[in-house]
Amino acid sequence: MTKFDASCGLTEKTIGAIKYRIKTLLNGKHLPILSENVEMKLFFEGRDAWVFNWELLKNDSGDPLNVICIGVTVKLKKEFHGLNIPVRYRYLCKVKMVDDIYRSVISIKEEKIPSIPEPNL
């Protein structure tokens, strides 16, 4: 597992477009919706309640630039932990590259995060 940055052979513009599309898809379909007043406050402040961590995963197919596998860990910022929703999600995203980087085909699958046992004190 490596960082998803220009060292993987893609340009910064391509990586930015892929990240933007994945964030948009996750916010629209996969992540829980926060209350309207919280969403409006964040919108007017130009902020987001989620922190995205990106990693380039080993590709199963033979062509490394045709299909890109990306692991995305999404964490809820600490100030929103009182909203009674899960605070961490993990997704496996497969991006099939096409000529137009803004129309690449993206499939998203949620991965189960193993629970961390509480330490016995």
Side-chain angles (χ1 to χ4, degrees):
M1 293 183 282
T2 59
K3 285 186 147 188
F4 184 48
D5 57 13
S7 66
C8 71
L10 297 173
T11 65
E12 289 292 331
K13 180 180 177 182
T14 303
I15 291 170
I18 291 170
K19 285 182 177 181
Y20 176 78
R21 294 237 10 249
I22 290 173
K23 282 176 80 170
T24 303
L25 290 171
L26 288 176
N27 279 324
K29 297 180 183 175
H30 298 277
L31 295 173
I33 298 172
L34 305 177
S35 63
E36 187 175 342
N37 60 343
V38 171
E39 289 282 352
M40 290 301 289
K41 180 181 178 210
L42 289 170
F43 174 77
F44 286 121
E45 292 176 358
R47 299 186 319 133
D48 193 4
W50 304 98
V51 176
F52 292 81
N53 294 314
W54 308 87
E55 60 185 334
L56 186 63
L57 302 175
K58 184 177 178 182
N59 193 353
D60 296 336
S61 68
D63 186 6
L65 293 179
N66 188 22
V67 176
I68 302 169
C69 297
I70 303 167
V72 183
T73 304
V74 185
K75 296 178 186 177
L76 188 63
K77 290 181 181 174
K78 198 169 216 165
E79 64 187 280
F80 302 107
H81 282 198
L83 296 176
N84 295 324
I85 58 175
V87 297
R88 194 169 83 153
Y89 295 89
R90 173 94 176 132
Y91 297 97
L92 172 65
C93 304
K94 291 189 178 185
V95 181
K96 183 173 182 187
M97 301 300 290
V98 293
D99 292 337
D100 184 5
I101 61 173
Y102 301 104
R103 299 199 186 277
S104 53
V105 179
I106 299 174
S107 67
I108 298 174
K109 183 176 121 182
E110 184 173 359
E111 295 180 332
K112 297 297 178 194
I113 298 175
S115 61
I116 301 171
E118 293 292 324
N120 295 331
L121 298 176

